[in-house]
Amino acid sequence: MFTSVLMIEQPLSAIDVDFVTTLHDDQMSFVVLMQPRGAEDRLLRAIDDVALGELERAMHEADEPEGEQALRPAAVALEHSLRLLRDADCEAVGQLVEGHPLDLLRSVVEQTHADEVIVLTAPHLVEEFFHRDWASRARHKVGVPVLKLYAHNDEEDYALGDVGEGQG
């Protein structure tokens, strides 16, 4: 069984699941680490939105839940993602990231004897330019190959229900 640690910041779409589950011919097992939104990322997210021409999205960045308010939507997004991976006949477990994501990543890779890390993320132009994004920093910490992929934003594929507005 091929084990991948999958770092995500938004719920997986069906396209994402299809992509990560077909990367290898072996049966796949995933350990999913879901990063809730944080206040420290707000400015960088807004800059990225502007750089990508998403002005409307940048204007509403302050409406997104953060900190403690982001935990419930992140937990729902994690469960949704795990369900999609399991529906694709993969083993999947996961947890929310509490604290520094790269410290948790390193310990999970060691504990699970993972074969690789997949960072599935939206474009983060500022962090990527300065090599401060998760994938760039993880390559120096985990001792296994790190693959960086861009997530698909397929909002029709995912619904939070009663968790709150502004999510998806």
Side-chain angles (χ1 to χ4, degrees), residues 49-123:
D49 291 340
V50 170
L52 294 169
E54 301 284 343
L55 299 179
E56 184 72 25
R57 191 170 178 184
M59 291 174 26
H60 293 287
E61 198 61 56
D63 299 337
E64 295 288 333
E66 296 178 340
E68 292 293 318
Q69 293 178 333
L71 292 179
R72 174 141 166 69
V76 171
L78 175 61
E79 285 304 314
H80 167 81
S81 299
L82 293 174
R83 186 174 52 252
L84 286 179
L85 288 167
R86 291 174 187 143
D87 289 348
D89 294 326
C90 295
E91 291 183 12
V93 296
Q95 69 184 75
L96 294 179
V97 174
E98 297 177 25
H100 197 278
L102 295 177
D103 292 338
L104 177 61
L105 176 63
R106 181 175 45 218
S107 68
V108 168
V109 167
E110 290 171 1
Q111 291 169 6
T112 63
H113 305 287
D115 298 294
E116 71 180 357
V117 170
I118 300 172
V119 177
L120 190 65
T121 182

Side-chain angles (χ1 to χ4, degrees), residues 2-162:
F2 195 89
T3 302
S4 294
V5 178
L6 180 59
M7 292 187 72
I8 62 174
E9 59 189 0
Q10 65 186 36
L12 295 176
S13 70
I15 296 169
D16 295 329
V17 170
D18 186 52
F19 193 37
V20 299
T21 59
T22 59
L23 288 172
H24 304 285
D25 291 334
D26 299 335
Q27 177 67 29
M28 297 287 296
S29 172
F30 291 94
V31 179
V32 181
L33 302 179
M34 175 71 187
Q35 174 71 48
R37 293 179 84 84
E40 69 280 354
D41 299 327
R42 182 181 288 173
L43 177 60
L44 291 175
R45 289 192 314 257
I47 292 170
D48 288 338
D49 291 340
V50 170
L52 294 169
E54 301 284 343
L55 299 179
E56 184 72 25
R57 191 170 178 184
M59 291 174 26
H60 293 287
E61 198 61 56
D63 299 337
E64 295 288 333
E66 296 178 340
E68 292 293 318
Q69 293 178 333
L71 292 179
R72 174 141 166 69
V76 171
L78 175 61
E79 285 304 314
H80 167 81
S81 299
L82 293 174
R83 186 174 52 252
L84 286 179
L85 288 167
R86 291 174 187 143
D87 289 348
D89 294 326
C90 295
E91 291 183 12
V93 296
Q95 69 184 75
L96 294 179
V97 174
E98 297 177 25
H100 197 278
L102 295 177
D103 292 338
L104 177 61
L105 176 63
R106 181 175 45 218
S107 68
V108 168
V109 167
E110 290 171 1
Q111 291 169 6
T112 63
H113 305 287
D115 298 294
E116 71 180 357
V117 170
I118 300 172
V119 177
L120 190 65
T121 182
H124 296 290
L125 302 176
V126 174
E127 291 174 330
E128 290 171 19
F129 180 79
F130 292 106
H131 302 284
R132 302 298 304 155
D133 59 299
W134 287 348
S136 295
R137 294 187 302 170
R139 286 185 180 105
H140 302 287
K141 287 194 171 233
V142 297
V144 297
V146 176
L147 179 61
K148 179 178 181 175
L149 303 173
Y150 289 114
H152 292 81
N153 190 10
D154 189 359
E155 294 181 12
E156 293 176 12
D157 208 26
Y158 173 71
L160 274 172
D162 64 341

